[in-house]
Structures are given as structure tokens and as C-alpha cells.
Amino acid sequence: MKLRKAAAASAAVLALAVTATACGSSDKDDSGSSPSGGGTIKVGIKYDQPGLGLKQPDGSFAGFDVDVATYVAGQLGYKPGQIEFVETKSADRENALARGDVKFIAATYSITDERKQKVDFAGPYLLAHQDLLVKTDSNIAKGTDLNGKKLCSVTGSTSAQNIHDTIAPKANLKEYGGYSECIAALQSGAVDAVTTDDSILAGFAAQDKYKGQFKLAGLKLSNENYGVGVKKGDAELEKKINAALTKMVSDGSWKKAVEKNFGPANYKYEQAPKIGAIVK
């Protein structure tokens, strides 16, 4: 009987020790910080947008969104080697946050009233505009010049349709599966212009294989405020990311990242927007 009691007591002590160890083993808190320097953080980005979010042949990642995400994660306590970049396509961004697949998303994620019903945003960290990319020797300088021309955008995008409906009703719309296909068609002469956010267009134009071949028309057809998406209701993380973005701008890292990723395309970028100005 005494032996059974002693064994039971030992088991209880062991269980308490295991529980305490388990509770104390996590070095991350709910805000995504890693105060002890351990663990990893999953961050959503695009894999196919040069200059913004691109998975390179060696498996590394590059682009302005990647630089923003890396800086923010660093301010949350994570070193570059602790960041796991997860591909988050446009149609799955809200679900990825809701499911907890990623802690935050930096992926040309325009802040809109509709999206704010589903996710919260930190930022904005970049103001982009819908624009046109044309060949360097093109005489297309304004929207109406697209009448009778072939205008390319990706399937499902409203960019080309907006131009057709409001500016150039005689533009010949062409849709491709991705922007890389549109850019290749522009290079070959199959289309006369490509339209989407100027930051995306500048990223493609800045690639070495296209350097000097294209130019941005500079039309500023819309305002696209890129924000960092976080799970709805995670006010603490939103606050920390806003603080990180504010520091990125003030210490010069933001400007350095813009010029590094978009400079070769002569992208006339807007100054950094006021962090937190339009989020709520």
C-alpha cells in the first residue's frame, strides 16, 4: 500500500515537472515576438513579383515586400534565418491569416474597405498607382493613346477593363495568365502596353533581362495603399508592426529598400505614407 502511494506521488511530481517544462518552453508570445531569440515566424509574401516578392532559383527571396517583412520581423525579435516565407496568392490572403498559416502578410496587399471587414492592416508602407508599362520608344503617353492599341493585363484583373471603360473604349484588351506573360508579350510586340500597379510594373522593368527596354507612363490612374495584413482583432501585433514601419521610414531603411528594388526602372515613387493614416 505504501509502495503504491509512493509511486503515485512520484508520478504526480513528474507530471507537474513535465507540465511546467512544456509551459515554459515556448519563446514566442501571441504578438509574434521572440524575446529569447528562438523559434520561427511565418510571413506571407508573393513568389512571382520581381522587385516586390520573388522566389529566386537558389531558393532565396528578394524584393521590396521581402525587405519590409524582414525588417518588421527583425523588430519583432526574429533574425532573417528565423523567418519562413510562405507563398500567399491574392485570392487566399484573408484565409491564410484567419487559419493562422502566417503571422502577417506583406504582398502588394492594398488596403480597402472590403478587406478591412476580414483582416486588420498595419501601414500603409507604400502608395502605388495603376499605370502603364510601354516600350522605351513608345509614343503612348496618356490613356487615350491606347485607343486602337493592344492592352494587356492578367486574367481576373479589373485594371485593363477600368481603362477600357473610362479612358480608352477602343483599346483592344488582352488577358494572360500572369504578368510575366504580359511583359514577354510587350517585349515581342504582341501587345503595346501592360497595366497594373506601377510598383509591380517597375519591378519587372528593373530586371536585368529587361533593363532599358521599358518605361512607365506615369499616369497614376488609382491609389493603392499597401498594408501589412494581420489577423482580424490582433491589435497588439498591428501596433507593433506600425511601430516597426515607422522606424523603418525614420532610419532610412525604407528609402534604401525602395531605391534598391525599383531604382533601375526609374520608378518615381511617392514618399512614404503616414503610418496608420488610413487603416481604420
Side-chain angles (χ1 to χ4, degrees), residues 51 63-64 67 126 202-203 206 211 248 252-271:
F64 181 66
D67 289 344
L126 185 72
K211 196 171 293 183
M248 186 179 187
S253 299
W254 182 91
K255 184 176 182 180
K256 183 178 179 180
V258 170
E259 293 179 345
K260 179 187 77 173
N261 291 292
F262 303 126
N266 295 317
Y267 176 41
K268 294 179 176 60
Y269 61 89
E270 301 278 2
Q271 293 303 306

Side-chain angles (χ1 to χ4, degrees), residues 181-260:
E181 297 171 56
C182 277
I183 302 299
L186 179 61
Q187 184 183 39
S188 70
V191 299
D192 301 295
V194 180
T195 186
T196 186
D197 295 357
D198 54 7
S199 58
I200 297 173
L201 296 174
F204 276 104
Q207 289 185 289
D208 287 338
K209 62 181 177 180
Y210 296 131
K211 196 171 293 183
Q213 296 184 44
F214 307 129
K215 65 181 180 181
L216 289 161
L219 299 188
K220 297 185 178 180
L221 299 172
S222 69
N223 291 330
E224 307 295 336
N225 285 282
Y226 293 169
V228 176
V230 301
K231 188 174 183 179
K232 190 70 177 175
D234 197 342
E236 185 64 23
L237 180 57
E238 178 188 336
K239 180 180 178 181
K240 289 185 176 184
I241 294 177
N242 274 334
L245 293 173
T246 299
K247 184 177 179 181
M248 186 179 187
V249 172
S250 65
D251 70 12
S253 299
W254 182 91
K255 184 176 182 180
K256 183 178 179 180
V258 170
E259 293 179 345
K260 179 187 77 173

Side-chain angles (χ1 to χ4, degrees), residues 4-279:
R4 283 201 294 270
K5 287 183 177 179
S10 298
V13 170
L14 179 60
L16 285 171
V18 171
T19 301
T21 300
C23 290
S25 65
S26 175
D27 46 31
K28 294 188 292 182
D29 60 31
D30 289 339
S31 67
S33 62
S34 179
S36 68
T40 61
I41 186 171
K42 293 183 177 180
V43 180
I45 62 168
K46 294 288 184 68
Y47 275 19
D48 58 353
Q49 290 183 341
L52 287 154
L54 182 68
K55 185 175 184 178
Q56 303 187 103
D58 64 359
S60 63
F61 300 92
F64 181 66
D65 282 346
V66 174
D67 289 344
V68 169
T70 301
Y71 189 98
V72 168
Q75 293 299 303
L76 294 177
Y78 294 89
K79 297 177 181 178
Q82 296 174 283
I83 304 170
E84 180 181 344
F85 288 115
V86 178
E87 182 177 24
T88 50
K89 296 182 178 180
S90 296
D92 196 44
R93 288 178 296 202
E94 287 82 16
N95 290 332
L97 287 169
R99 291 191 303 259
D101 296 344
V102 294
K103 195 67 176 178
F104 65 85
I105 293 176
T108 59
Y109 206 176
S110 295
I111 301 171
T112 67
D113 289 338
E114 181 181 359
R115 287 171 178 162
K116 285 190 289 185
Q117 302 303 311
K118 302 175 182 178
V119 302
D120 286 335
F121 286 98
Y125 62 89
L126 185 72
L127 173 58
H129 307 282
Q130 184 184 344
D131 201 357
L132 302 175
L133 189 70
V134 297
K135 285 190 172 181
T136 303
D137 60 358
S138 173
N139 59 6
I140 297 175
K142 55 186 183 297
T144 53
D145 292 337
L146 290 168
N147 282 311
K149 303 291 186 180
K150 297 175 182 177
L151 176 63
C152 185
S153 193
V154 300
T155 303
S157 170
T158 60
S159 299
Q161 191 64 50
N162 288 342
I163 290 177
H164 181 273
D165 292 345
T166 62
I167 300 173
K170 294 183 180 179
N172 185 2
L173 305 186
K174 299 290 184 181
E175 289 188 340
Y176 287 78
Y179 288 114
S180 59
E181 297 171 56
C182 277
I183 302 299
L186 179 61
Q187 184 183 39
S188 70
V191 299
D192 301 295
V194 180
T195 186
T196 186
D197 295 357
D198 54 7
S199 58
I200 297 173
L201 296 174
F204 276 104
Q207 289 185 289
D208 287 338
K209 62 181 177 180
Y210 296 131
K211 196 171 293 183
Q213 296 184 44
F214 307 129
K215 65 181 180 181
L216 289 161
L219 299 188
K220 297 185 178 180
L221 299 172
S222 69
N223 291 330
E224 307 295 336
N225 285 282
Y226 293 169
V228 176
V230 301
K231 188 174 183 179
K232 190 70 177 175
D234 197 342
E236 185 64 23
L237 180 57
E238 178 188 336
K239 180 180 178 181
K240 289 185 176 184
I241 294 177
N242 274 334
L245 293 173
T246 299
K247 184 177 179 181
M248 186 179 187
V249 172
S250 65
D251 70 12
S253 299
W254 182 91
K255 184 176 182 180
K256 183 178 179 180
V258 170
E259 293 179 345
K260 179 187 77 173
N261 291 292
F262 303 126
N266 295 317
Y267 176 41
K268 294 179 176 60
Y269 61 89
E270 301 278 2
Q271 293 303 306
K274 184 177 179 181
I275 307 302
I278 66 165
V279 172

